[in-house]
Amino acid sequence: RFVPNRSILAICGDLDPEAAIAMVERAFAGWKKIDVAPPSFPELKLSAKPVTKYVHMPAKNQLVVYWGHLGIRRNEPAYAKLLVLEHIMGQGAGLTDRLSKKIRDELGLCYTVSFSITGHDGTEPGMILATLSTSQAIYHKAIGVLLAEIDKVRAKGITKAELADAQEYLTRSIVFNLEDNDSLVGL
């Protein structure tokens, strides 16, 4: 599966471009093109109905909940909008997102909560994933509020203030994606 015609090499750092190209040519001189079909994956579809699975962990008071379903591919036309929504719902800085404010701070129903739409996407669909850590005694109430907040944003959308705050934060945080070589290569 790892052949030059199906690979991308990213180089970042304080290097002379010609020296870097020469180094790569020396290191990979013997690597020959081979026609290999890209991997084939079955088409994923949303479940017709929700599925719940409990994994019991004896002597554990904390319950970690993963709620999700089939997500988007990275080339989704609405990717930027979904990134903003993700920030508003569960990725906001300093517990400023909707889920953290409502479920954690206002109602005290969980220790942590997050929401991701774009975090797992790629050439194949990722997953939309909400997680929360709560106690077994208040699980049903916590998951109920989580689902209610998701339904609320689906039905009513987001506020102008939420949009402005998310856009400002995401715009200002772009610089952190340029901080180090690892981040630059990942762009």
Side-chain angles (χ1 to χ4, degrees), residues 1-164:
R1 297 279 175 210
F2 298 97
V3 295
N5 44 305
R6 292 196 37 79
S7 300
I8 296 172
L9 175 65
I11 299 174
C12 185
D14 188 16
L15 296 165
D16 173 60
E18 285 96 24
I21 290 170
M23 183 173 54
V24 168
E25 287 174 343
R26 280 192 309 275
F28 294 101
W31 204 21
K32 303 297 182 205
K33 176 183 174 182
I34 300 172
D35 289 325
V36 176
S40 176
F41 300 103
E43 185 65 29
L44 298 173
K45 296 180 181 169
L46 283 173
S47 297
K49 60 182 182 173
V51 176
T52 302
K53 182 176 182 179
Y54 296 94
V55 178
H56 181 68
M57 306 276 299
K60 298 288 181 186
N61 291 328
Q62 184 172 323
L63 181 68
V64 179
V65 179
Y66 292 89
W67 173 93
H69 63 76
L70 187 62
I72 63 168
R73 288 181 167 87
R74 178 59 180 91
N75 63 357
E76 163 65 43
Y79 182 85
K81 292 176 183 177
L82 293 171
L83 183 66
V84 171
L85 178 60
E86 172 182 86
H87 181 81
I88 291 168
M89 288 299 289
Q91 296 291 324
L95 306 174
T96 60
D97 55 79
R98 273 192 190 196
L99 297 176
S100 293
K101 284 192 283 191
K102 181 74 171 187
I103 303 172
R104 184 180 185 276
D105 292 348
E106 184 182 322
L107 300 173
L109 296 175
C110 69
Y111 312 111
T112 62
V113 62
S114 69
F115 185 82
S116 174
I117 301 171
T118 66
H120 304 94
D121 55 8
T123 55
E124 294 299 319
M127 60 185 146
I128 296 175
L129 178 65
T131 62
L132 61 88
S133 299
T134 187
S135 72
Q136 293 181 23
I138 56 175
Y139 157 74
H140 291 289
K141 187 170 183 180
I143 196 72
V145 175
L146 171 75
L147 296 176
E149 287 298 309
I150 292 170
D151 286 344
K152 184 176 167 183
V153 80
R154 289 175 66 203
K156 297 181 180 180
I158 60 174
T159 67
K160 288 181 182 181
E162 286 175 322
L163 176 61

